[in-house]
Amino acid sequence: FAGQAQIRSHSPIVVLQSPGSGCRIDDQVSDGRFSVAGQVGNCSAVILTRVHDGLCYVHMRHNGLYFGLTCKPQASPFILIQFLNRRFAAIVKDYCGSVSEEAIRQNLPLLYELLEEILDFGVVQTTRLDVLRNYVQSEAVNTQPSSLFDMSTIGLFGADTQQKTLVPASASIRSLSHQRSKTNEIFVDVLERLTVLIGANGNVVQAELNGDINLKSFVNGCSEIFMTFNHDLAIGSSQNRGYGGAVRLDECRFHANVNVTDFETKRAIRVSPGPGEMTLMQYTVLDDFPTPLPFRLFPTVEVQPDKSRLLVCLKLRCDLSPRSHATNMVVRLPIPKSTISLSRDVSSPDQTATLEPDSSSVVWKVPRITGGSQLSAIFRLEVPGLRPSARLEVGPVALTFDLPSLAMSGLRIGCLRPTLGGRGGAALSGEPPKRWLRYSTSSGSYVVRI
């Protein structure tokens, strides 16, 4: 990571918890107030100018914490947001084991030392872990975060068989030094994000999938990891598919440490793992998914001016396989700003629907939905002075969800074997390492117009 963005050398980099308590990593604070300029999903980006001494204040929310900094007006906001949300937060996770308030409080000296190496008079020098490891070798204090994501869907990937099992609860929160010295494990995540826009007529206007394959290796004596993918994997347009074209990626990019000599012929790669987490591969799929879109929404809006009531009926159909399911489903429906009350009927008692006046929306939450099922909700909105044109203020509907143990692209890891390196790929001696593999798809932006 490198960019021509200058962060004020005497300004603070501040970490705040959502209720307002905070940890200041630097030791000097400038006066100024934060205000939200824009919000995307659960992550809000703030860029303020002319609040104090001609400076800009930028912050990003990550895991319920706000990472903030000050900079000069000439700085690129995109580089600053990338630094806070993707780079600095990832460094905190790799060194401390988790991104939580307690982990940051316990490791303030370590993080201050990291910032001294990352920034030089406000200019970002490097965020590469392999470079930082040469200069910052302090041990992190291991802490338990306040909440862990659900690890129940992570499977153990064996050399010959796949077996469902739970990852140890402490696996996701161990620091690098702890894992390097006391574990013999490999973690691979295949993480995908859906961006979908469905028109009011039900046709798909846009469909895009972006995926990452992340690796963390803590295998003693391992100099190379051999990994294979689907044999029918095709890259690029239909003219270049080959292998039958059952699984297609429009674009793919590999890490600099990945050897792709055998990728074209055998769909295999070899990687020399470095310290911390590394992204082996990034890929994109456009429009042509091997499986149907996970959700279809069928909305009905009825305006009743004589009763000052707006009736909205939502039918949500899950087109996943019956063996798959979605969790943390949230359906957000924008409504007229003058709405004063809500009455609702939902499919089951575990579902909730609430009116949020601040955002002028109804939020329908579904903890879990199984593939092949259909849910419905009826919302009766009391809107004083309702007019027929109020229908135009309803929608579009935004869906957020997680699809555990599922990669919508169809991409699969066929073999995962640590070796001593070289073309022969000699296996390691001693006890074989544990291999943990996780597939997950989440909604980046899933919008349905009404």
Side-chain angles (χ1 to χ4, degrees), residues 28-41:
Q28 299 185 34
V29 179
S30 300
D31 295 330
R33 293 185 300 172
F34 292 102
S35 66
V36 176
Q39 183 167 346
V40 180

Side-chain angles (χ1 to χ4, degrees), residues 91-277:
I91 291 172
V92 172
K93 180 180 178 181
D94 280 320
Y95 268 85
C96 302
S98 66
V99 182
S100 64
E101 183 187 11
E102 186 61 25
I104 292 174
R105 285 186 183 277
Q106 295 293 333
N107 292 282
L108 281 178
L110 170 62
L111 297 180
Y112 188 89
E113 186 180 354
L114 280 168
L115 286 175
E116 289 290 321
E117 299 297 336
I118 294 173
L119 301 175
D120 184 18
F121 289 96
V123 179
V124 179
Q125 300 301 307
T126 183
T127 57
R128 292 179 52 184
L129 283 170
D130 54 345
V131 175
L132 293 173
R133 281 285 164 193
N134 296 327
Y135 302 101
V136 181
Q137 300 180 358
S138 302
E139 294 292 335
V141 178
N142 293 307
T143 59
Q144 295 284 339
S146 57
S147 64
L148 293 174
F149 56 86
D150 183 11
M151 304 291 285
S152 60
T153 59
I154 301 178
L156 171 63
F157 188 89
D160 302 315
T161 61
Q162 291 185 349
Q163 178 183 357
K164 292 289 184 179
T165 185
L166 291 178
V167 170
S170 60
S172 65
I173 59 171
R174 299 174 190 146
S175 64
L176 284 177
S177 58
H178 177 82
Q179 290 192 349
R180 184 168 54 244
S181 61
K182 296 185 178 181
T183 65
N184 190 29
E185 300 170 311
I186 301 175
F187 298 86
V188 176
D189 286 343
V190 180
L191 307 178
E192 298 183 344
R193 299 169 302 282
L194 273 174
T195 300
V196 175
L197 175 60
I198 300 177
N201 56 3
N203 295 332
V204 178
V205 179
Q206 177 190 5
E208 180 177 334
L209 183 146
N210 295 284
D212 297 331
I213 300 179
N214 299 325
L215 168 72
K216 268 192 176 183
S217 175
F218 307 101
V219 180
N220 298 324
C222 172
S223 61
E224 192 175 76
I225 295 177
F226 179 76
M227 181 184 301
T228 63
F229 303 97
N230 315 52
H231 289 295
D232 57 356
L233 176 63
I235 309 296
S237 61
S238 58
Q239 291 84 357
N240 301 323
R241 286 186 182 181
Y243 295 94
V247 178
R248 181 181 61 84
L249 307 179
D250 288 276
E251 299 177 1
C252 68
R253 300 169 297 280
F254 293 96
H255 191 277
N257 290 352
V258 175
N259 185 340
V260 295
T261 304
D262 297 329
F263 185 73
E264 288 295 330
T265 57
K266 300 180 181 179
R267 290 297 184 251
I269 61 174
R270 300 175 184 272
V271 56
S272 301
E277 180 177 320

Side-chain angles (χ1 to χ4, degrees), residues 349-427:
D350 61 337
Q351 303 173 25
T352 61
T354 57
L355 174 64
E356 293 188 352
D358 293 340
S359 59
S360 299
S361 60
V362 174
V363 179
W364 176 24
K365 295 184 179 181
V366 182
R368 179 187 174 101
I369 177 171
T370 306
S373 61
Q374 180 171 297
L375 305 178
S376 62
I378 299 176
F379 305 126
R380 301 176 185 87
L381 308 172
E382 297 296 330
V383 186
L386 182 64
R387 298 179 180 179
S389 60
R391 191 184 189 282
L392 301 176
E393 299 183 54
V394 180
V397 181
L399 283 68
T400 59
F401 52 83
D402 296 317
L403 306 178
S405 302
L406 178 65
M408 289 291 298
S409 64
L411 186 67
R412 308 295 293 183
I413 306 296
C415 176
L416 184 64
R417 184 175 70 244
T419 67
L420 296 176
R423 296 291 297 177

